[in-house]
Amino acid sequence: MPKFAANLTWLFRELPFMDRFAAAKEAGFEGVEVLFPYDCPTQDMRDQLVVCNLTFVLMNCPPPNATGGRQGFAAVPGLSDRFRHDFERTLRFAQVLKPLHIHIMAGPAEGPEAEAVFIDNLRWAAARAPQQSLTIEPINRFDMPGYFLADYDTAARVLDAVAAPNLALQFDAYHAHRITGDVMGSWTAHGHRARHVQVAGFPGRHEPRGGDIDYPAFFSRLDSDGYTGWVSGEYAPETETGEGLAWIR
């Protein structure tokens, strides 16, 4: 079976944030991710990771926009300075939290100019942090309307253009189903590019069990393909988190 991580932004929300680390460890997770770990004391989070012996798998860039609006700027024409400023801030947090991966969000945009901007910014980021693993993730436009990186062919084209060893694909099976309706086919075509995997059930984005995605078959496929990265549960529990964790066992 794969190595499972808990997304603490989504899971254990019945608990105060700092208590979620210990809860994840007690539930059987060996790794955690936090989408936007910018509002809590960074050293306190690092202390929880150490005390609980948890791997910090992933965090997102950019920091959240306090005034709302775009989630990401990396592909938005005219906002490269904003993206690079935010990336520098993310790296400062990463120095303490030591994430395996930083997910760079493209933001809302479209067209060839946006793709060129995205490629340019990713080349810059990969060179700016050559020892840090970076990921990009296709996100479906039902959940995030207007998001630039919304299909796997574009992601493959961008990754090939950037051609940086520290940049790879983040494969979310829920988004893959929304985008293509064929998780296994999407993995067959693009899984060799993946460095991190996320899962959630469909429909409903609840626990990854039952529903339209055959997760036992998907997990077996990851094993047979030799995938050695983490698989993170990024979903909204139907009840309390602990009651729905049979999928990791």
Side-chain angles (χ1 to χ4, degrees):
M1 290 292 286
K3 299 180 295 184
F4 292 119
N7 184 305
L8 298 186
T9 304
W10 287 73
L11 303 188
F12 302 102
R13 294 183 69 176
E14 60 271 15
L15 299 174
F17 177 72
M18 285 297 178
D19 293 343
R20 298 177 195 176
F21 295 85
K25 182 68 174 184
E26 185 176 352
F29 291 103
E30 298 297 328
V32 296
E33 63 182 31
V34 179
L35 297 186
F36 298 103
Y38 301 98
D39 295 331
C40 293
T42 312
Q43 189 59 54
D44 289 355
M45 285 187 280
R46 184 64 198 166
D47 291 345
Q48 286 298 312
L49 291 164
V50 172
V51 167
C52 297
N53 191 27
L54 290 165
T55 299
F56 190 50
V57 179
L58 178 135
M59 61 188 285
N60 282 355
C61 172
N65 182 354
T67 60
R70 297 180 175 91
Q71 285 208 347
F73 306 95
V76 183
L79 292 180
S80 290
D81 287 346
R82 173 66 187 270
F83 163 72
R84 297 180 188 200
H85 175 270
D86 284 350
F87 187 75
E88 294 287 357
R89 184 181 175 209
T90 295
L91 290 181
R92 291 195 292 273
F93 278 80
Q95 286 177 352
V96 179
L97 293 173
K98 306 184 188 309
L100 296 182
H101 314 297
I102 294 174
H103 167 216
I104 295 178
M105 300 191 73
E110 61 181 354
E113 182 183 4
E115 183 168 327
V117 168
F118 196 33
I119 290 168
D120 186 57
N121 280 330
L122 290 171
R123 283 174 176 157
W124 174 87
R128 173 66 184 83
Q131 304 306 312
Q132 174 65 60
S133 172
L134 308 173
T135 65
I136 58 172
E137 175 192 14
I139 297 177
N140 79 84
R141 289 178 178 158
F142 178 87
D143 288 296
M144 197 170 290
Y147 195 73
F148 171 73
L149 190 60
D151 68 86
Y152 288 91
D153 289 341
T154 299
R157 193 165 59 244
V158 167
L159 289 169
D160 287 346
V162 176
N166 58 328
L167 178 67
L169 180 69
Q170 182 170 318
F171 186 93
D172 186 305
Y174 166 83
H175 287 300
H177 185 78
R178 276 279 193 194
I179 294 167
T180 71
D182 182 6
V183 172
M184 288 297 201
S186 298
W187 179 262
T188 297
H190 301 286
H192 64 285
R193 302 176 184 274
R195 194 172 289 163
H196 184 55
V197 171
Q198 293 171 321
V199 294
F202 188 94
R205 205 168 185 179
H206 299 306
E207 283 80 357
R209 62 189 182 197
D212 293 355
I213 303 172
D214 185 346
Y215 273 112
F218 181 60
F219 295 151
S220 294
R221 177 64 182 276
L222 295 182
D223 287 341
S224 65
D225 284 356
Y227 174 75
T228 59
W230 291 84
V231 175
S232 180
E234 186 190 46
Y235 61 88
E238 290 192 271
T239 57
E240 287 197 357
T241 304
E243 294 180 4
L245 291 179
W247 66 274
I248 71 169
R249 302 189 183 99

